[in-house]
Amino acid sequence: MDSKKLLVTTDFSDVSYAALAYAAKMKGNQVTLLSILQTGNVPPGLLQQMPNPNVIQEYRDKVLDQTRQKLNAIANQYFIDTGVNIDVVICEDDIAEEICKYAEKNAIDMIVMTGQGKGALGSLFVGSTVQKVLRMAKIPVLVIPKAPQ
């Protein structure tokens, strides 16, 4: 198998680590760890009433920095001595759409993510974000089942 560019998504939940562990076993691939930060718009009227409206941007910058630090820690834990790319995308709308856009823009060959089925019926389904990615992606999507508990 030729080397592929893998996009591994994480929301830092325990469930999402199954995809990281699986991707780490796929030696010889280029890996990008991606986390999506979903932000909301603060209504302009509320911004005008705030004593320091810059505090919102400062908070977003802090969360962005903390997310990058977490991704670096994961890269060091799961992908030792490999050239793993780290990226954080900030979006205001649909997370699945952002994942697919990122994959297309960066010539990713495969998206690796974790399904989050719940209970007996849940094992037949995956989370809504995964379902959307499966529908929208133009490349293969590898859905890893959550680790047994």
Side-chain angles (χ1 to χ4, degrees):
M1 181 168 105
D2 294 334
S3 175
K4 295 200 179 288
K5 289 176 72 175
L6 305 178
L7 177 64
V8 184
T9 64
T10 183
D11 61 2
F12 304 111
S13 66
D14 290 341
V15 172
S16 72
Y17 292 132
L20 296 164
Y22 193 88
K25 294 176 189 174
M26 300 170 72
K27 304 285 185 203
N29 292 303
Q30 297 176 40
V31 176
T32 297
L33 297 181
L34 179 69
S35 188
I36 306 285
L37 292 179
Q38 197 169 25
T39 63
N41 285 329
V42 178
L46 180 61
L47 279 175
Q48 292 172 348
Q49 295 177 18
M50 295 180 72
N52 181 6
N54 293 332
V55 75
I56 292 174
Q57 187 58 46
E58 291 168 6
Y59 176 75
R60 287 180 177 164
D61 291 344
K62 182 178 179 180
V63 171
L64 183 63
D65 186 51
Q66 289 173 342
T67 302
R68 282 195 177 105
Q69 288 176 22
K70 285 182 186 178
L71 287 173
N72 280 319
I74 288 171
N76 290 333
Q77 179 181 354
Y78 287 92
F79 303 95
I80 300 169
D81 297 328
T82 60
V84 175
N85 295 317
I86 303 294
D87 211 348
V88 181
V89 172
I90 297 174
C91 77
E92 294 183 15
D93 295 317
D94 188 57
I95 293 172
E97 187 177 320
E98 288 296 328
I99 291 169
C100 293
K101 276 196 240 177
Y102 185 95
E104 189 170 338
K105 180 181 173 185
N106 292 280
I108 298 294
D109 297 310
M110 181 186 295
I111 300 169
V112 181
M113 52 195 322
T114 306
Q116 297 189 26
K118 294 175 177 68
L121 271 181
S123 64
L124 300 174
F125 304 101
V126 293
S128 61
T129 299
V130 175
Q131 288 178 9
K132 288 179 185 176
V133 169
L134 287 169
R135 281 195 310 269
M136 295 181 346
K138 297 176 183 174
I139 58 172
V141 179
L142 179 59
V143 181
I144 307 300
K146 70 178 185 176
Q149 297 178 359

